[in-house]
Amino acid sequence: MEVITSKALPSKENFSEWYHELIQRAEIMDVRYPVKGLYVWFPFGFKIRQLVYGKLREIMDRDHDEVYFPTLIPETELGKEGEHIKGFEDEVYWVTHGGRDPLDVKLALRPTSETAMYPMFKLWIRSHADLPLKVYQVVNTFRYETKHTRPLIRLREITSFKEAHTAHVDYEDAERQVRDAIKLYKEFYDFLAIPYLVIRRPEWDKFPGAAYTVAFDTVMPDGRTMQIGTVHHLADNFAKTFDIEYETPDGDHAYVHQTCYGISERCIAALISIHGDDLGLVLPFEVSPVQIVIIPILYKGSEEKVMEVARQLYEKLTDMGFRAVLDDSEERPGAKYYKWELKGVPVRLEIGPREVDEGSAIVSFRDERVKHKMSVEEITEERIRKWAAEMKERLLRKATGKMMDKLKFFESVEDANEWIGKGVALIYLCDSLECGEDVEEALKGSVLGRFEEIPEWMELQEKGSCAVCGELGNLTAVAKTY
Ligand code: P5A
């Protein structure tokens, strides 16, 4: 595979170039596919995807059923919910022909699957006993994005769209589901050691067709935010459009209330961007395709005994169930360090002739890069799991610290001007569209919305007077976004 150029990675200070180079050099995505906004997963990248989505599936499978709905949606269904189609019409790819024959009804490549699923929900749901209904699928979706496309971040074919859809007896039960979904997404991002803000989108930026939208935003190294997941309360908006009714215990008929929530491969973009450093990826142990690399340090005369011990260690680790690699290639140790650091391997073990004599190994962790000597006997499964947990804690602490540094509170909009672009400005803002527009205009950023939950470390009150009009407002985040 011809991929890697040997020059050093750009510094993470130049985040955009760093990101673009890293995803290619570490063999995550190949960006050379000849269609804008479409990219190819390399085998290594795809393994990360499998591990990350394995966790997401594990979380979803607890009380959702996995389904699969078709990629093509008839124009007649896609257009039914007025707000929904208004929000998506400029982003839809259309299939207009079958071979040479024009189709009677144009077919959309799903931009998301509400309008594919809900006509079927109407057939599936008969009585209150069918509720709640909770399903999810992991599929590709297509959005003709006009903003700058970027691998894993802004795609025209989203390859790893995990979308969940639920139906409930009433608004309150759907609201409980919104709270549950937020909990599930927190668990997922905690697992990846990615810090997030949970923010309710303003009215003008909610999902098309939703009653309200709660988003997960993370702060990227350059101070711009990225939306890494959303949870939407749909109320009975779609149920009325698609006529999804159920029979109540009293024999009446009522519309269901629905929610939907989604995560895309942006979760992997966040994983790369938040934890990576100037040397490459830094992957949490659980989602690293290679968890432990063993590097034998070979000198003439002692090669065989070093390789023997390295092989024994390799077998011990794989028997324990870890994903280990023994790098016995011809390359020099320095080149091997470079390669596996680029790939983010969390644990490195080095063994040379001295270590063989001592029965020891040199251990280092990708995030610390400090060498410790320890006896090979002490490298037990329990010890390794402890390393993994400690490393995750360090990653989360470091990432949270960085995110905290990028959030700043401002009394006035003018004061925030300097900061926007470097980080997230926190201000008090009322709910009015006028004040929102004023702020977006003045700061050339987006109003992300008010905090659904204010993190304790923020030490700020929920309410204050609106930085534009002085009326009562909520603590609100404003940022430049991806
Ligand atoms: C929820 C699931 C929906 O589509 N329907 C089903 C709802 N919500 S959403 O906010 O529009 O998308 C969910 C998440 O997908 C990510 N995302 C993207 N990722 C990469 N490229 C894109 N073009 C793209 N568009 C959306 C966002 O993280 C979003 O929150």
Side-chain angles (χ1 to χ4, degrees), residues 14 35 79 136 151-152 169 186 224 286 290 387 397 412 421 429-430 460 472:
N14 309 316
V35 182
Y136 82 95
L152 302 172
V169 288
K186 281 184 177 175
R224 289 162 71 176
E286 289 91 338
V290 178
W387 288 342
R397 205 174 325 121
S412 80
L429 193 67
C430 72
L460 289 165
L472 190 64

Side-chain angles (χ1 to χ4, degrees), residues 48-56 188 192 267-268 271 287:
I48 300 177
R49 176 195 188 269
Q50 269 176 323
L51 293 161
V52 169
Y53 277 71
K55 181 66 181 185
L56 192 51
F188 175 65
L192 297 176
C267 61
I268 294 170
L271 187 70
V287 295

